[in-house]
Amino acid sequence: MSIHAVKREQANLTWDNSIPPAITIDSGDTVSFDCLDASNGQLTASSTAADVVRMVFSQCDQVNGPVFVRGARPGDTLQVDVLELQPGAWGWTAIIPGFGLLADDPEFQEAALKIWDLERDLEEGVTTFRERVDLGVGAAGSALERIRVPIRPFCGEMGVARREQGAFSTIPPYHTGGNMDTRHLTRGSTLFLPVEVEGGLFSVGDGHAAQGDGEVAGTAIETSMKVKVRLTVRKDKPYVNTPHFVSRTAERGAEMGYYTTTGVDPDVREAARSAVRNMISFLAAEHGLDRREAYMLCSVAGDLRMHEVVDMPHYLIGMMMPESVLSGH
């Protein structure tokens, strides 16, 4: 096994299978990435809400890579083991006018910015609303120091190149990954992506220190991120045609393991239907269930979640199956 590195400047603003690889590796190798925050350096620890308005949106959500994995061919699956995630010393959360689930709501047409001191809070594992909240000219912030947010770092962008020619925006998620903004892809999780081009061409970016399911306002705690992943070509998961992942998540007062399938579609109902169908295919292939049995199990044990709802034209919905149900424990 070899260890490789992708530098901070080796980044792109589109998914495009014509972009030359930043590096070439063997299956099973480990790669480290040094990623800027989603603003691509346009915001700093001293920024204000006025800087949010001046931000060039087309320069945001860059991804580092791509990485060519030898032996990865169309029809294969790329396994991405998330080994390390180190957020930066600070992060930001913003209301960006015209963006987010409530983009057309008159109440949220003014920019706002919260700067988080992560360096101070990383050791404790939680951060708070305190200081550095700028709600715009003439606005007064609230005393929110009692609000404590667990720090659970992950990368919002992880994906491979699409088979279609041309440049595709990094803003939405796709069936090949991309801006999934899925908070469950923390350290120790494993992501499976469908390979559509030779080498896969994997990229990563959009570091988050914390986020809820859906990322409804359009930003999480955005931060730079140092990432280490292991990339392995799998020939035995032909049913993976959207992102799947294995994760451990704090749910119902305990750490629970899940196998998750996803659906990506401009119609939220169709995205949900796709996620369920993909779980049925997984249960049939990996656990030998009849597809009708699998459909019933999805209804009684699966959790359907909105993982990404703001980066149109696509929603990303997950069907999360507890591993305890599948293992019999």
Coordinates of all heavy atoms in Angstrom, one line a residue, residues 164-225:
E164 N -20.9 11.1 -19.1 CA -21.2 12.1 -20.1 C -20.1 13.1 -20.3 O -19.4 13.5 -19.4 CB -22.5 12.9 -19.7 CG -23.7 12.0 -19.7 CD -24.0 11.3 -18.4 OE1 -23.1 11.4 -17.5 OE2 -25.0 10.6 -18.2
Q165 N -19.9 13.5 -21.5 CA -18.8 14.5 -21.8 C -19.3 15.9 -21.4 O -20.5 16.2 -21.4 CB -18.6 14.6 -23.4 CG -18.0 13.3 -23.9 CD -16.6 12.9 -23.3 OE1 -15.8 13.8 -23.2 NE2 -16.5 11.7 -22.9
G166 N -18.3 16.7 -21.0 CA -18.7 18.1 -20.6 C -18.4 18.4 -19.2 O -18.1 17.5 -18.4
A167 N -18.6 19.7 -18.8 CA -18.4 20.1 -17.4 C -19.7 20.2 -16.7 O -20.7 20.8 -17.2 CB -17.7 21.5 -17.5
F168 N -19.8 19.6 -15.5 CA -21.0 19.5 -14.7 C -20.7 20.3 -13.4 O -19.7 20.0 -12.7 CB -21.4 18.1 -14.4 CG -21.9 17.4 -15.7 CD1 -21.0 16.7 -16.4 CD2 -23.2 17.4 -16.0 CE1 -21.4 16.0 -17.6 CE2 -23.6 16.7 -17.2 CZ -22.7 16.0 -18.0
S169 N -21.6 21.1 -13.0 CA -21.4 21.9 -11.8 C -21.2 21.1 -10.5 O -21.7 20.0 -10.4 CB -22.7 22.8 -11.5 OG -22.6 23.4 -10.3
T170 N -20.4 21.6 -9.6 CA -20.1 20.9 -8.4 C -21.2 21.2 -7.3 O -21.2 20.7 -6.2 CB -18.8 21.3 -7.8 OG1 -18.7 22.7 -7.6 CG2 -17.6 20.8 -8.6
I171 N -22.2 22.1 -7.6 CA -23.1 22.5 -6.7 C -24.1 21.4 -6.3 O -24.4 21.2 -5.1 CB -23.9 23.8 -7.1 CG1 -22.9 24.9 -7.3 CG2 -25.0 24.2 -6.2 CD1 -22.2 25.4 -6.0
P172 N -24.7 20.6 -7.3 CA -25.7 19.6 -6.8 C -25.1 18.2 -6.7 O -23.9 18.0 -7.1 CB -26.7 19.6 -8.0 CG -25.8 19.9 -9.2 CD -24.7 20.8 -8.7
P173 N -25.8 17.3 -6.0 CA -25.4 15.9 -6.0 C -25.8 15.2 -7.3 O -26.7 15.7 -8.0 CB -26.2 15.3 -4.8 CG -27.4 16.1 -4.8 CD -27.0 17.5 -5.3
Y174 N -25.1 14.1 -7.6 CA -25.4 13.3 -8.8 C -25.4 11.8 -8.4 O -25.1 11.5 -7.2 CB -24.4 13.5 -9.9 CG -24.2 14.9 -10.4 CD1 -23.2 15.7 -9.9 CD2 -25.1 15.5 -11.3 CE1 -23.0 17.0 -10.3 CE2 -24.9 16.8 -11.7 CZ -23.9 17.5 -11.2 OH -23.7 18.8 -11.7
H175 N -25.8 10.9 -9.3 CA -25.8 9.5 -9.0 C -24.4 9.0 -8.8 O -24.1 7.9 -8.3 CB -26.5 8.7 -10.0 CG -25.9 8.7 -11.4 ND1 -26.1 9.8 -12.3 CD2 -25.1 7.9 -12.0 CE1 -25.4 9.6 -13.4 NE2 -24.8 8.4 -13.2
T176 N -23.4 9.8 -9.2 CA -22.0 9.5 -9.1 C -21.4 10.2 -7.8 O -20.1 10.2 -7.7 CB -21.2 9.9 -10.3 OG1 -21.5 11.2 -10.7 CG2 -21.5 9.0 -11.5
G177 N -22.2 10.7 -7.0 CA -21.7 11.4 -5.8 C -21.8 12.9 -6.0 O -22.8 13.5 -6.5
G178 N -20.7 13.6 -5.7 CA -20.7 15.1 -5.8 C -21.1 15.7 -4.5 O -20.7 15.3 -3.4
N179 N -21.9 16.8 -4.6 CA -22.2 17.6 -3.4 C -23.4 16.9 -2.6 O -24.5 17.4 -2.6 CB -22.6 19.0 -3.8 CG -22.5 19.9 -2.6 OD1 -21.9 19.6 -1.6 ND2 -23.2 21.1 -2.7
M180 N -23.0 15.8 -2.0 CA -24.0 15.0 -1.3 C -24.4 15.6 0.1 O -25.5 15.4 0.6 CB -23.5 13.6 -1.1 CG -23.3 12.8 -2.4 SD -22.8 11.1 -2.1 CE -21.1 11.4 -1.4
D181 N -23.5 16.4 0.7 CA -23.7 17.0 2.0 C -24.4 16.1 3.0 O -25.3 16.4 3.7 CB -24.6 18.3 1.8 CG -23.8 19.4 1.1 OD1 -22.6 19.5 1.4 OD2 -24.4 20.2 0.4
T182 N -23.8 14.9 3.1 CA -24.4 13.8 3.9 C -23.6 13.7 5.2 O -22.4 13.2 5.2 CB -24.4 12.5 3.2 OG1 -25.3 12.7 2.0 CG2 -25.0 11.4 4.0
R183 N -24.2 14.1 6.3 CA -23.4 14.3 7.6 C -23.0 13.0 8.1 O -22.1 12.9 9.1 CB -24.3 15.0 8.6 CG -25.5 14.1 9.1 CD -26.3 14.9 10.1 NE -27.4 14.2 10.6 CZ -27.4 13.4 11.7 NH1 -26.3 13.3 12.4 NH2 -28.5 12.8 12.1
H184 N -23.4 11.8 7.6 CA -23.1 10.5 8.1 C -21.7 10.0 7.6 O -21.2 9.0 8.1 CB -24.1 9.5 7.8 CG -25.5 10.0 8.2 ND1 -25.9 9.9 9.5 CD2 -26.5 10.5 7.5 CE1 -27.2 10.4 9.6 NE2 -27.5 10.8 8.4
L185 N -21.1 10.7 6.7 CA -19.8 10.3 6.1 C -18.6 10.8 6.9 O -17.7 11.4 6.4 CB -19.8 10.7 4.6 CG -20.8 10.0 3.7 CD1 -20.8 10.7 2.3 CD2 -20.6 8.5 3.6
T186 N -18.6 10.5 8.2 CA -17.6 10.9 9.1 C -16.4 9.9 9.1 O -16.5 8.9 8.4 CB -18.2 11.1 10.5 OG1 -18.8 9.8 10.9 CG2 -19.2 12.2 10.5
R187 N -15.4 10.1 9.9 CA -14.3 9.2 10.0 C -14.8 7.8 10.4 O -15.6 7.6 11.3 CB -13.4 9.7 11.1 CG -12.2 8.8 11.4 CD -11.3 9.4 12.4 NE -10.1 8.5 12.7 CZ -9.2 8.8 13.6 NH1 -9.2 9.9 14.3 NH2 -8.2 7.9 13.8
G188 N -14.3 6.8 9.7 CA -14.7 5.4 9.9 C -15.8 4.9 9.0 O -16.1 3.7 9.0
S189 N -16.4 5.8 8.3 CA -17.4 5.4 7.3 C -16.8 5.0 6.0 O -15.7 5.2 5.7 CB -18.4 6.6 7.1 OG -17.7 7.7 6.4
T190 N -17.6 4.3 5.2 CA -17.2 3.8 3.9 C -18.2 4.1 2.9 O -19.4 3.8 3.1 CB -17.0 2.2 4.0 OG1 -16.0 1.9 4.9 CG2 -16.6 1.7 2.6
L191 N -17.8 4.8 1.8 CA -18.7 5.2 0.8 C -18.4 4.3 -0.5 O -17.3 3.9 -0.8 CB -18.4 6.6 0.4 CG -19.1 7.3 -0.8 CD1 -20.6 7.4 -0.6 CD2 -18.5 8.6 -1.1
F192 N -19.5 3.9 -1.2 CA -19.4 3.2 -2.4 C -19.9 4.0 -3.6 O -21.1 4.5 -3.5 CB -20.1 1.9 -2.3 CG -19.7 1.0 -1.2 CD1 -20.4 0.9 0.0 CD2 -18.5 0.2 -1.3 CE1 -19.9 0.1 1.0 CE2 -18.1 -0.6 -0.3 CZ -18.8 -0.7 0.9
L193 N -19.2 4.2 -4.6 CA -19.6 5.0 -5.8 C -19.5 4.2 -7.1 O -18.6 3.5 -7.3 CB -18.6 6.2 -5.9 CG -18.6 7.2 -4.7 CD1 -17.5 8.2 -4.8 CD2 -19.9 8.0 -4.7
P194 N -20.5 4.4 -7.9 CA -20.5 3.7 -9.2 C -19.5 4.3 -10.2 O -19.5 5.5 -10.4 CB -21.9 3.9 -9.7 CG -22.4 5.2 -9.1 CD -21.7 5.2 -7.8
V195 N -18.6 3.5 -10.7 CA -17.5 4.0 -11.6 C -18.1 4.0 -13.1 O -18.7 3.0 -13.5 CB -16.3 3.0 -11.6 CG1 -15.3 3.5 -12.7 CG2 -15.7 3.1 -10.2
E196 N -18.0 5.2 -13.7 CA -18.5 5.3 -15.1 C -17.4 5.6 -16.1 O -17.7 5.5 -17.3 CB -19.5 6.4 -15.1 CG -20.8 6.1 -14.3 CD -21.9 7.0 -14.6 OE1 -21.7 8.1 -15.2 OE2 -23.1 6.7 -14.3
V197 N -16.2 5.9 -15.7 CA -15.1 6.2 -16.6 C -13.8 5.5 -16.1 O -13.7 5.2 -14.9 CB -14.8 7.7 -16.8 CG1 -16.0 8.4 -17.3 CG2 -14.3 8.3 -15.5
E198 N -12.9 5.2 -17.0 CA -11.7 4.6 -16.7 C -11.0 5.3 -15.6 O -10.8 6.6 -15.6 CB -10.8 4.5 -17.9 CG -9.6 3.6 -17.8 CD -10.0 2.1 -18.1 OE1 -11.1 1.9 -18.6 OE2 -9.1 1.2 -17.9
G199 N -10.6 4.6 -14.5 CA -9.8 5.2 -13.4 C -10.7 5.8 -12.4 O -10.3 6.2 -11.3
G200 N -12.0 6.0 -12.6 CA -13.0 6.5 -11.7 C -12.9 8.0 -11.6 O -13.9 8.7 -11.6
L201 N -11.7 8.6 -11.4 CA -11.5 10.0 -11.3 C -12.2 10.6 -10.1 O -13.1 11.4 -10.2 CB -11.9 10.8 -12.6 CG -11.1 10.4 -13.8 CD1 -11.6 11.1 -15.0 CD2 -9.6 10.6 -13.6
F202 N -11.7 10.2 -8.9 CA -12.3 10.6 -7.6 C -11.8 12.0 -7.2 O -10.6 12.3 -7.3 CB -11.9 9.6 -6.5 CG -12.3 10.0 -5.1 CD1 -13.6 9.7 -4.7 CD2 -11.4 10.6 -4.3 CE1 -14.0 10.1 -3.4 CE2 -11.8 10.9 -3.0 CZ -13.1 10.7 -2.6
S203 N -12.7 12.8 -6.6 CA -12.4 14.1 -6.1 C -13.1 14.3 -4.8 O -14.2 13.6 -4.5 CB -12.7 15.2 -7.0 OG -12.0 15.1 -8.2
V204 N -12.7 15.2 -3.9 CA -13.3 15.5 -2.6 C -13.1 17.0 -2.2 O -12.2 17.6 -2.7 CB -12.6 14.6 -1.5 CG1 -11.1 14.9 -1.4 CG2 -13.3 14.7 -0.2
G205 N -14.0 17.5 -1.4 CA -13.9 18.9 -0.9 C -15.1 19.2 -0.1 O -15.8 18.4 0.4
D206 N -15.2 20.5 0.2 CA -16.4 21.1 0.9 C -16.4 20.6 2.4 O -17.3 19.9 2.8 CB -17.7 20.7 0.2 CG -18.9 21.4 0.8 OD1 -18.7 22.5 1.4 OD2 -20.0 20.9 0.6
G207 N -15.3 20.9 3.1 CA -15.3 20.4 4.5 C -16.3 21.1 5.4 O -16.6 22.3 5.3
H208 N -16.9 20.2 6.2 CA -17.9 20.7 7.2 C -17.5 20.2 8.6 O -17.1 19.0 8.8 CB -19.3 20.1 6.9 CG -19.9 20.5 5.6 ND1 -20.9 19.9 5.0 CD2 -19.6 21.6 4.8 CE1 -21.3 20.5 3.9 NE2 -20.4 21.5 3.7
A209 N -17.6 21.1 9.6 CA -17.3 20.7 11.0 C -18.6 20.1 11.6 O -18.5 19.3 12.6 CB -16.8 21.9 11.8
A210 N -19.7 20.5 11.1 CA -21.0 20.0 11.6 C -22.1 20.4 10.7 O -22.0 21.4 10.0 CB -21.3 20.6 13.0
Q211 N -23.2 19.6 10.7 CA -24.3 19.9 9.8 C -25.5 19.0 10.2 O -25.2 17.8 10.6 CB -24.0 19.6 8.3 CG -25.1 20.0 7.4 CD -25.0 19.2 6.0 OE1 -24.1 19.5 5.3 NE2 -25.9 18.3 5.8
G212 N -26.7 19.4 10.0 CA -27.9 18.6 10.2 C -28.3 18.0 8.9 O -27.8 18.4 7.8
D213 N -29.1 16.9 8.9 CA -29.6 16.3 7.7 C -30.3 17.4 6.9 O -31.2 18.1 7.4 CB -30.6 15.2 8.0 CG -29.9 13.9 8.2 OD1 -28.9 13.6 7.5 OD2 -30.4 13.1 9.1
G214 N -30.0 17.5 5.6 CA -30.7 18.4 4.7 C -29.9 19.7 4.4 O -30.1 20.3 3.4
E215 N -29.1 20.2 5.4 CA -28.4 21.5 5.3 C -29.4 22.6 4.7 O -29.1 23.2 3.7 CB -27.2 21.3 4.3 CG -26.2 22.4 4.5 CD -25.1 22.4 3.4 OE1 -25.3 21.8 2.3 OE2 -24.0 22.9 3.7
V216 N -30.5 22.8 5.5 CA -31.6 23.6 4.9 C -31.3 25.0 4.5 O -31.8 25.6 3.6 CB -32.8 23.5 5.9 CG1 -33.3 22.1 6.0 CG2 -32.4 24.1 7.3
A217 N -30.3 25.7 5.3 CA -30.0 27.1 4.9 C -29.0 27.2 3.8 O -28.7 28.3 3.4 CB -29.5 27.8 6.2
G218 N -28.5 26.0 3.4 CA -27.5 26.0 2.3 C -26.1 26.0 2.7 O -25.2 25.8 1.9
T219 N -25.8 26.3 4.0 CA -24.4 26.2 4.5 C -24.4 25.4 5.8 O -25.3 25.5 6.6 CB -23.8 27.5 4.7 OG1 -24.5 28.3 5.6 CG2 -23.7 28.3 3.4
A220 N -23.3 24.7 6.1 CA -23.1 24.0 7.3 C -22.1 24.9 8.1 O -22.0 26.1 7.9 CB -22.6 22.6 7.1
I221 N -21.3 24.3 9.0 CA -20.1 25.0 9.5 C -19.1 24.7 8.5 O -18.4 23.6 8.5 CB -19.7 24.5 10.9 CG1 -20.8 24.8 11.9 CG2 -18.4 25.2 11.4 CD1 -20.5 24.4 13.4
E222 N -18.9 25.6 7.6 CA -18.0 25.4 6.5 C -16.5 25.7 6.9 O -16.3 26.6 7.7 CB -18.3 26.3 5.3 CG -19.8 26.3 4.9 CD -20.2 25.1 4.1 OE1 -19.2 24.4 3.6 OE2 -21.4 24.8 4.1
T223 N -15.6 24.8 6.6 CA -14.2 24.9 7.0 C -13.3 24.2 6.1 O -13.7 23.4 5.3 CB -14.1 24.3 8.5 OG1 -12.8 24.5 8.9 CG2 -14.4 22.8 8.5
S224 N -12.0 24.6 6.2 CA -11.0 23.9 5.4 C -10.9 22.5 6.0 O -11.3 22.3 7.2 CB -9.7 24.6 5.5 OG -9.2 24.7 6.8
M225 N -10.4 21.5 5.3 CA -10.3 20.2 5.8 C -9.1 19.4 5.2 O -8.8 19.5 4.0 CB -11.6 19.4 5.4 CG -11.7 18.1 6.1 SD -12.2 18.2 7.9 CE -13.9 18.7 7.7

